[in-house]
Amino acid sequence: MIKHKQSGKWSVLFVVTLVSFITNLDATIVVNGIPPLMEDLHLSLEMGMWTLTSFYITSTVFLLPSGRWSDMFGTKRIFLWGFALFTIATVLCGMAGSGTVLILARLLQGVGAAMAMAASTPILMKTFPPHELGRALGINNIAWVTGSLLGPVVGGALIGGFGWRYMFYAIVPLGILGLIAGVLILKESAELEKAKTDWPGLLTYGSGLTALLIVLSEAQAWGWASSRTLGLLAIGILLWIVFVIIEKKARHPLFDLGLLGYRDYTIGLGITASYCIGYFAVSILLTLYLQGTQNLSPLETGLMLIPLSVPQLFTAPIGGKLADRFGTTKMILLGSFLIGLAILLLGQLGTELSNAAVIIPLLIISAATGLSWPSLAKAVLSAAPQNQAGPASGVFWTVYNMCRAISQALVLVIIQWVAKSDVASQLLSGSKSDELNQSRDALIHASNVGFQLFAAFLALAILLGLSLLRPHEKRQESHTIHDKEKVGLE
């Protein structure tokens, strides 16, 4: 009987881990596939970037309500509904005949991914006892990183051999496997809560975020001082003001704004935002540089991106031990400094491709991420009261996803600002005229400026982290005294 229960736990972990692997595999494949799909569908750089951003809009907006739906309708039901929607939308992505259809399908993909991922952690928490939960979450995180590792390479091989549509089609069999396994293995929640979805909050927050991202994407073409840009920006700000008012009065708010009253938690969210905006720009800027100016194939680009994933598989376990010894804040500061330094090094790329100039900074970024990201997540989530761990985790991951979308939008702003957007679009869509060959220098310069500006976000993360250092040391000291007293009593 015990043996059956043990095997059942690991079967559940397999299903949940498969979702983490697939969703991150999809995210990294699509980054590598932007230039080929732009060429095939005749898309501008703006539309090409929206095939990325659209996914993160809905996966961000629907993350918190999906957690609420898991409590209302059951974790298994929401998990399977989300995974099914994600798989169907993936098929639609592969079939898309225009940029508009592809973006709509990516929006659906994001909703499905949010539902599945929001139900994943509660499923693991209900399946594993506390002394085994850390191990289960660690395995789940390794699958997430493995998806990042394989995505660029597998995607590059598929795109090069069969075309960009197969970077979506290849995921569908894994999705079907996950659905069948989920139906057979997962168990429904025994207790369901009576709650309501905060639809007004969902609408105002989602619309405000979308308005902000549209402004970042289109303001260069419209003019930053144009009535259209300023009007849409004003609408976005107004929607978020209304959102805050709604959340303060809502009985079941989408965001628990009371969490912002905890100083360390709020500062931690600021660090998370700065860290994510800087980090997630790297793979996109590098893909634009490698495929747009160096004419590398998707497979060659994927191979160049491998160093961004491998080292953190080894440094993440070490980072956890170092955080226990030296404190999470010091590991956050060390990691942010190394990542920022490496991004600055990437800002020195030239007209001739140097493998070392790309690979060495990526190795540093990956190793530093393994050291600092677990500490950052732990520091932020432990700053909130234990009885609010669920809402605190939901807001943390919402900020993570939101800033991933903002990072991608800012890449577009920088490319438009430094180099002409239409020139970049034509370079990435495969045009080879003499005039465009001369414009390579402009895109290289834009990439370098982009890396330098995104390094500034890591500098901001360091400044915010310094404000946590002294209070953290005081807490560490009090915890040490408490532990000594506990040992003495025992």
Side-chain angles (χ1 to χ4, degrees), residues 380-401:
V380 177
L381 296 178
S382 62
Q386 191 64 34
N387 62 351
Q388 292 181 281
S393 177
V395 172
F396 171 76
W397 289 110
T398 298
V399 169
Y400 166 92
N401 272 338

Side-chain angles (χ1 to χ4, degrees), residues 311-393:
Q312 59 186 294
L313 288 172
F314 303 97
T315 57
I318 300 172
K321 293 179 182 178
L322 292 175
D324 291 338
R325 182 173 180 179
F326 298 107
T328 55
T329 302
K330 290 179 180 178
M331 297 311 299
I332 294 168
L333 292 172
L334 174 62
S336 299
F337 172 77
L338 291 174
I339 294 171
L341 177 63
I343 294 176
L344 281 176
L345 292 176
L346 286 173
Q348 310 301 316
L349 297 174
T351 54
E352 296 297 325
L353 177 61
S354 167
N355 290 336
V358 173
I359 292 173
I360 292 174
L362 293 185
L363 289 172
I364 296 172
I365 291 171
S366 182
T369 301
L371 293 175
S372 57
W373 178 254
S375 293
L376 177 55
K378 179 181 178 181
V380 177
L381 296 178
S382 62
Q386 191 64 34
N387 62 351
Q388 292 181 281
S393 177

Side-chain angles (χ1 to χ4, degrees), residues 328-480:
T328 55
T329 302
K330 290 179 180 178
M331 297 311 299
I332 294 168
L333 292 172
L334 174 62
S336 299
F337 172 77
L338 291 174
I339 294 171
L341 177 63
I343 294 176
L344 281 176
L345 292 176
L346 286 173
Q348 310 301 316
L349 297 174
T351 54
E352 296 297 325
L353 177 61
S354 167
N355 290 336
V358 173
I359 292 173
I360 292 174
L362 293 185
L363 289 172
I364 296 172
I365 291 171
S366 182
T369 301
L371 293 175
S372 57
W373 178 254
S375 293
L376 177 55
K378 179 181 178 181
V380 177
L381 296 178
S382 62
Q386 191 64 34
N387 62 351
Q388 292 181 281
S393 177
V395 172
F396 171 76
W397 289 110
T398 298
V399 169
Y400 166 92
N401 272 338
M402 179 178 70
C403 291
R404 194 168 183 172
I406 291 173
S407 178
Q408 293 163 357
L410 287 176
V411 168
L412 179 59
V413 171
I414 292 168
I415 296 296
Q416 292 173 326
W417 174 43
V418 181
K420 292 182 179 179
S421 178
D422 56 344
V423 168
S425 298
Q426 292 172 39
L427 276 172
L428 292 165
S429 63
S431 298
K432 305 297 180 187
S433 70
D434 292 338
E435 182 181 347
L436 289 174
N437 284 334
Q438 294 174 1
S439 71
R440 288 174 65 245
D441 290 341
L443 187 54
I444 291 170
H445 178 57
S447 300
N448 287 335
V449 170
F451 284 122
Q452 293 161 14
L453 290 176
F454 281 109
F457 284 96
L458 275 302
L460 178 58
I462 292 172
L463 290 175
L464 291 171
L466 289 172
S467 67
L468 290 179
L469 191 58
R470 185 175 296 177
H472 177 79
E473 289 176 338
K474 289 181 179 178
R475 286 196 302 272
Q476 284 291 103
E477 184 179 344
S478 66
H479 286 323
T480 302

Side-chain angles (χ1 to χ4, degrees), residues 18-34:
L18 186 61
V19 176
S20 297
F21 173 76
I22 290 174
T23 51
N24 211 43
L25 181 73
D26 175 80
T28 51
I29 282 179
V30 175
V31 170
N32 203 6
I34 288 179

Side-chain angles (χ1 to χ4, degrees), residues 139-210:
I139 292 172
N140 191 54
N141 185 64
I142 289 173
W144 191 89
V145 176
T146 304
S148 300
L149 173 62
L150 294 179
V153 181
V154 173
L158 288 169
I159 295 164
F162 305 99
W164 66 267
R165 297 181 187 277
Y166 282 84
M167 69 183 181
F168 294 112
Y169 289 149
I171 293 173
V172 175
L174 294 175
I176 294 173
L177 173 64
L179 283 171
I180 295 172
V183 171
L184 297 176
I185 294 172
L186 299 181
K187 295 182 179 180
E188 192 51 272
S189 307
E191 298 180 1
L192 301 179
E193 296 182 8
K194 291 183 178 180
K196 292 183 178 180
T197 303
D198 179 18
W199 291 110
L202 181 64
L203 178 63
T204 50
Y205 169 70
S207 300
L209 175 61
T210 303

